[in-house]
Amino acid sequence: YMCAKHTMRVLSGMQPRQVDDMITEYHLNMLQTDKGLLLFEGELEDLRRASKHVVDVTLPPGPTVSEIKETVDKFNIELKQSDDGPQFHGTLYDINDAVNYLVDLMKERLDF
């Protein structure tokens, strides 16, 4: 009897150490898709717990200060400064939503 495996995206700005910690703590595997996306793979319950893991994610290049501020105000996350540039700090779940929102804001501005 095999349990179905589920996947969750690894955010590109995550620190490798944090990814390793999550794999260990939640008994996850790491997968890479043919498009090069990294995924956490595991039991649904483990992924649910992992989605509440607090992480720091380095922001993608390009957002304006106002776009970053709007995103931080809208989601339950904090902004931190690091040697790698600005980072979002919060649960993986919230930061995933925030990064998607930020990327959409940037796309709107760049596509107008």
Side-chain angles (χ1 to χ4, degrees):
Y1 150 77
M2 275 286 294
C3 269
K5 293 288 186 183
H6 298 269
T7 59
M8 180 169 74
R9 199 160 62 99
V10 176
L11 298 178
S12 57
M14 284 180 71
Q15 307 303 311
R17 191 194 72 254
Q18 290 184 319
V19 174
D20 292 342
D21 289 350
M22 288 182 67
I23 287 170
T24 305
E25 187 170 340
Y26 304 105
H27 319 291
L28 304 174
N29 297 311
M30 177 84 106
L31 293 180
Q32 190 164 13
T33 69
D34 48 8
K35 290 195 171 69
L37 279 180
L38 291 177
L39 302 174
F40 290 121
E41 180 195 48
E43 309 280 329
L44 192 55
E45 195 46 49
D46 290 329
L47 287 173
R48 273 206 188 102
R49 291 193 0 258
S51 75
K52 297 181 177 81
H53 194 87
V54 174
V55 294
D56 301 311
V57 173
T58 304
L59 300 191
T64 65
V65 172
S66 63
E67 287 167 341
I68 293 171
K69 185 180 179 334
E70 181 179 334
T71 304
V72 170
D73 289 346
K74 189 172 173 67
F75 296 92
N76 186 24
I77 58 171
E78 294 168 31
L79 185 65
K80 288 172 57 171
Q81 290 303 328
S82 78
D83 294 343
D84 300 322
Q87 293 182 328
F88 285 155
H89 175 82
T91 66
L92 189 65
Y93 181 83
D94 288 329
I95 290 181
N96 184 49
D97 288 348
V99 169
N100 289 338
Y101 181 79
L102 183 62
V103 168
D104 287 344
L105 285 179
M106 287 163 50
K107 273 195 192 128
E108 267 173 37
R109 172 169 49 90
L110 298 172
D111 292 345
F112 40 87

